[in-house]
Amino acid sequence: MANIENFNFAGLKAIVRVDFNVPLDDNGNITDDTRIRGALPTLKKILADGGALIIMSHMGKPKGKVNPKYSLSQIQGAVAAALGTDVKFAPDCANAAEAAAALKPGEVLLLENLRFYAEEEGKPVGIEKEDPAYEDAKKEMKARQKEFSKTLASYADVYVNDAFGTAHRKHASTAVIADYFDADHKILGYLMEKEVTAVDNVLSNIKRPFTAIMGGSKVSTKIGIIENLMDKVDNLILCGGMTYTFSKARGGKIGLSICEDDKLDLALDIIAKAKEKGVNLVIGVDCVAGDAFSNDANRQIFPTNDIPEGWEGMDAGPKTREMFADAIKEAKTILWNGPAGVFEFDNFAEGSRAIAEAIVEATDNGAFSLVGGGDSVACVNKFGLADKVSYVSTGGGALLEAIEGKVLPGIAAIKG
Ligand code: AMP
């Protein structure tokens, strides 16, 4: 497999899939440019080598239709500023052959939003799965997706995928396009390499003890990950809203706390499995409860199995925070996904803060720590600790699928 560091792009045209799905305000201004900055090492390396650069991305969910609200022309200036060079714009990504052919070494072309074409995602539009004609429509769309991918591939000599955020999708630009390049001309970008290495550090290249922290609102959305991790971790902290499903399953009183009543058996199953596998399962014993779902609610500490009516567990209590910190501080590998409470409310953020701070301490002591998947990234950002952990993943769904043990199509298309 070709490697970005060793590849020489001189005199070649590279088409690079990035994730420039950046948030915009009502005036089309970028409110968070993390994703653009994340792709810069790869883009700059290609230009520095003397290659020409064709950048492609999606933005939002235009569902196969042209929609100015999602036009990448809005970020053309920001990309140019970040790269420190002019960026040309191709207003139709499927008809950019001339603009691509005219590119000289060191020049940059940004293609319009790939998802203005339904072919990018490759799902038939305007037809329900139940429709008898759906299967035929799907086949036809897959054929069109191949054509679309071939067109994109025809613009360049080499394909680089640096969009980890969409690596779990088998889309034209993230996976199918790779079929049109030989093994020496398809490459993972630097960001993608970093993500793959980080995932590898928590799934196979594990230094022990390994502590995983799974939080968030529901056990049902994390079950695939919990099951995959059960064979790998030494300590498994389950926190956040799912605490109360476990508590109720064990016969506890949980007041108004959130609970998945249809997952009580599953919770007992997880407890039994952890015991069988010798995993130290850490679930909160006390909580900070509120008498309303609001930052200004009255607060009181209760045992997680004895919460009175009218109160709901919204954060980890003081004993629980200590238990979490103990299991984290001794670890040499740490994975954190999902908050320990309603961290968006400052008055219920202490559990998540305790986790973040313990991770920072362990990292200082030589642990590898990976934080990823939506809200835990928001947590470390909120506490100003993002640069004090080993790695903050840029991919929400993609990271979750990777740690569930699934093969990501965007990576498989290049690595084989
Ligand atoms: P998820 O999307 O499943 O990772 O869940 C993240 C959300 O879970 C965040 O918005 C938190 O506010 C929420 N959450 C965490 N703990 C609780 C809790 N005890 N009660 C209600 N929501 C919670």
Side-chain angles (χ1 to χ4, degrees):
M1 194 184 74
N3 166 295
I4 178 96
E5 185 63 20
N6 300 331
F7 196 90
N8 186 354
F9 291 89
L12 298 177
K13 291 194 174 94
I15 187 159
V16 187
R17 176 53 155 107
V18 293
D19 180 1
F20 281 176
N21 182 26
V22 290
L24 301 177
D25 66 16
D26 290 345
N27 300 319
N29 299 313
I30 299 172
T31 55
D32 179 354
D33 68 349
T34 311
R35 287 178 171 158
I36 294 179
R37 283 186 283 113
L40 286 180
T42 295
L43 303 181
K44 285 188 168 169
K45 145 85 177 165
I46 294 167
L47 294 176
D49 275 3
L53 190 52
I54 301 158
I55 303 173
M56 58 177 173
S57 179
H58 76 286
M59 179 182 275
K61 293 184 174 163
K63 303 213 164 110
K65 289 206 184 82
V66 174
N67 181 343
K69 196 174 144 198
Y70 300 117
S71 175
L72 284 171
S73 62
Q74 298 169 99
I75 67 165
Q76 183 182 359
V79 176
L83 285 172
T85 186
D86 273 356
V87 170
K88 301 173 200 296
F89 186 69
D92 179 350
C93 65
N95 286 293
E98 257 180 54
L103 276 187
K104 298 192 185 66
E107 290 187 339
V108 185
L109 176 68
L110 173 65
L111 303 185
E112 180 56 291
N113 194 342
L114 296 157
R115 290 194 190 165
F116 284 179
Y117 282 87
E119 285 84 346
E120 165 62 1
E121 294 186 71
K123 271 187 270 167
V125 273
I127 180 163
E128 297 299 320
K129 276 198 177 129
E130 294 70 33
D131 194 311
Y134 182 83
E135 279 310 308
D136 283 344
K138 195 166 132 187
K139 255 192 220 149
E140 195 221 317
M141 181 50 90
K142 287 288 165 206
R144 279 168 48 191
Q145 187 184 47
K146 280 191 184 169
E147 279 309 306
F148 180 71
S149 307
K150 204 169 155 185
T151 300
L152 295 173
S154 72
Y155 301 157
D157 307 298
V158 51
Y159 166 63
V160 182
N161 189 350
D162 212 18
F164 184 70
T166 48
H168 57 318
R169 306 283 183 220
K170 195 172 178 189
H171 291 170
S173 68
T174 63
V176 186
I177 186 174
D179 290 346
Y180 301 96
F181 294 88
D182 64 40
D184 295 330
H185 292 86
K186 45 187 167 189
I187 302 174
L188 296 179
Y190 286 117
L191 180 64
M192 202 64 145
E193 271 189 355
K194 275 202 273 181
E195 297 276 357
V196 171
T197 305
V199 169
D200 196 48
N201 282 348
V202 298
L203 289 189
S204 27
N205 193 14
I206 302 166
K207 288 186 285 172
R208 300 204 173 270
F210 177 13
T211 298
I213 308 124
M214 291 289 129
S217 54
K218 294 176 177 173
V219 62
S220 54
T221 53
K222 304 280 157 89
I223 185 62
I225 301 173
I226 293 172
E227 278 176 351
N228 192 35
L229 289 176
M230 199 66 97
D231 286 322
K232 304 181 191 297
V233 295
D234 302 290
N235 304 302
L236 179 59
I237 297 176
L238 298 180
C239 56
M242 67 177 98
T243 308
Y244 310 97
T245 301
F246 282 89
S247 181
K248 186 163 178 183
R250 290 198 274 207
K253 264 177 54 192
I254 60 165
L256 290 176
S257 309
I258 57 168
C259 177
E260 289 177 281
D261 281 318
D262 58 337
K263 295 290 177 288
L264 301 181
D265 286 343
L266 178 70
L268 294 177
D269 236 37
I270 291 172
I271 294 169
K273 256 196 205 135
K275 200 164 181 194
E276 188 190 306
K277 293 185 188 283
V279 169
N280 174 33
L281 189 63
V282 183
I283 299 180
V285 294
D286 61 349
C287 66
V288 181
D291 61 355
F293 192 76
S294 127
N295 187 46
D296 306 322
N298 290 306
R299 281 175 291 162
Q300 213 165 309
I301 314 265
F302 296 112
T304 47
N305 62 2
D306 198 10
I307 304 172
E309 273 316 312
W311 291 83
E312 69 177 296
M314 287 164 65
D315 195 10
K319 271 192 220 137
T320 299
R321 298 201 288 266
E322 261 176 50
M323 285 162 61
F324 289 174
D326 287 346
I328 293 168
K329 283 181 190 168
E330 62 157 24
K332 286 284 169 264
T333 300
I334 301 167
L335 168 66
W336 183 22
N337 168 259
V342 189
F343 76 102
E344 297 92 334
F345 299 153
D346 288 349
N347 287 336
F348 296 94
E350 287 312 299
S352 304
R353 184 191 297 276
I355 289 175
E357 286 174 351
I359 294 177
V360 169
E361 191 177 325
T363 310
D364 273 347
N365 291 330
F368 173 82
S369 52
L370 167 58
V371 178
D375 281 329
S376 24
V377 176
C379 275
V380 285
N381 285 333
K382 176 172 174 137
F383 306 135
L385 297 173
D387 58 353
K388 296 196 165 70
V389 301
S390 310
Y391 194 69
V392 178
S393 175
T394 58
L399 178 79
L400 297 186
E401 289 201 14
I403 55 185
E404 262 182 63
K406 290 186 184 159
V407 172
L408 304 186
I411 292 168
I414 287 179
K415 284 177 106 178

